[in-house]
């Protein structure tokens, strides 16, 4: 889990970095110059940002506005450290802490944010990302009537917008989807598994091989749910869901007779 800390108080930033670095799975860096925060976000691919409002070089509130306008694909979860009276609604930060908050309190808030399924800055992109995920599954030939397809679209959109979720146990991803879809994690897992099995027996082998290549388990003939979701989320992030360049003039070719399970 990658965390970028950009606070006006270098002492507080270092204290937060030291405490978070002691925990397994956390990669932490500190940036003192507000003018470099966006660049460091891209360089580190940070999923969490502790952002101070009074940064030298570039005001933290202006930076937050920049991030909101830019709307780049993999936005971080933002903990804004600022005086409440300086904020205007709606605030695009995921959480706000007062300037007097202790490093320990900031660490506690960051741990909470790490469990949030989607950054607030990414929320505006959900609908478009779900449409892209649905388009990709259409190209692969996944039956739209399967309930697992709806769950897969939900999971893919979140994984695409928040790569940090790739480190989550898959059962937690199912649980987050289940809460949104008013069902159980077991039902989400089962329906996605059925959808994957249907895709690899009845879908378009041309597009399946293009999307998965040699990543398919030769014994199982299909990927696990997790491998399936991670592979497609990576393609969505890179824009690889746009397969129009490889489709023939006869678009019905993706609905050829069912193919046997792939053996790569």
């Amino acid at each position: 889990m990658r965390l970028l800390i950009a606070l006006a108080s270098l002492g507080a930033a270092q204290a937060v970095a030291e405490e978070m670095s002691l925990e397994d799975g956390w990669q932490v860096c500190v940036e003192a110059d507000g003018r470099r925060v966006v660049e460091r976000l891209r360089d580190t691919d940070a999923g969490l940002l502790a952002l101070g409002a009074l940064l030298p070089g570039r005001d933290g509130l202006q930076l937050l506005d920049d991030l909101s306008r830019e709307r780049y694909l993999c936005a971080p979860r933002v903990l804004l450290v600022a005086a409440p009276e300086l904020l205007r609604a709606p605030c695009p930060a995921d959480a706000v802490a007062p300037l007097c908050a202790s490093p320990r309190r900031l660490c506690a808030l960051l741990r909470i944010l790490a469990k949030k399924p989607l950054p607030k800055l990414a929320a505006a992109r959900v609908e478009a990302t779900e449409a892209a995920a649905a388009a990709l599954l259409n190209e692969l030939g996944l039956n739209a009537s399967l309930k697992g397809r709806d769950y897969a679209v939900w999971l893919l959109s979140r994984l695409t917008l928040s790569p940090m979720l790739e480190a989550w146990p898959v059962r937690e991803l199912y649980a987050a989807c289940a809460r949104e879809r008013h069902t159980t994690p077991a039902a989400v897992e089962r329906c996605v598994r059925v959808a994957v099995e249907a895709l690899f027996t009845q879908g378009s082998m041309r597009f399946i091989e293009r999307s998965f290549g040699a990543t398919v388990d030769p014994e199982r003939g299909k990927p696990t749910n997790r491998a399936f979701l991670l592979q497609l989320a990576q393609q969505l992030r890179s824009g690889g869901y746009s397969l129009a360049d490889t489709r023939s003039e006869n678009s019905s070719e993706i609905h050829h007779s069912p193919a046997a399970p792939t053996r790569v």
Side-chain angles (χ1 to χ4, degrees), residues 156-180:
L156 282 171
S157 66
R158 272 65 183 176
L159 284 164
T160 300
L161 292 170
S162 182
M164 195 172 78
L165 295 180
E166 293 183 358
W168 281 26
V170 70
R171 64 179 181 276
E172 293 187 20
L173 294 173
Y174 295 149
C177 181
R179 287 191 294 271
E180 288 280 334

Side-chain angles (χ1 to χ4, degrees), residues 136-206:
L136 174 54
L137 294 177
N138 285 343
E139 293 284 9
L140 292 170
L142 181 59
N143 191 330
S145 67
L146 293 173
K147 189 176 292 185
R149 183 182 183 279
D150 175 59
Y151 298 152
V153 166
W154 191 97
L155 291 162
L156 282 171
S157 66
R158 272 65 183 176
L159 284 164
T160 300
L161 292 170
S162 182
M164 195 172 78
L165 295 180
E166 293 183 358
W168 281 26
V170 70
R171 64 179 181 276
E172 293 187 20
L173 294 173
Y174 295 149
C177 181
R179 287 191 294 271
E180 288 280 334
R181 292 296 189 259
H182 307 291
T183 185
T184 65
V188 173
E189 185 279 330
R190 182 177 62 254
C191 289
V192 172
R193 176 163 37 87
V194 169
V196 172
E197 290 171 354
L199 174 62
F200 276 80
T201 55
Q202 301 174 8
S204 166
M205 290 310 300
R206 178 179 180 180

Side-chain angles (χ1 to χ4, degrees), residues 234-250:
Q234 182 179 359
Q235 289 186 44
L236 287 165
R237 273 184 228 118
S238 65
Y241 59 86
S242 180
L243 305 179
D245 57 322
T246 62
R247 196 188 318 179
S248 72
E249 293 180 2
N250 178 15

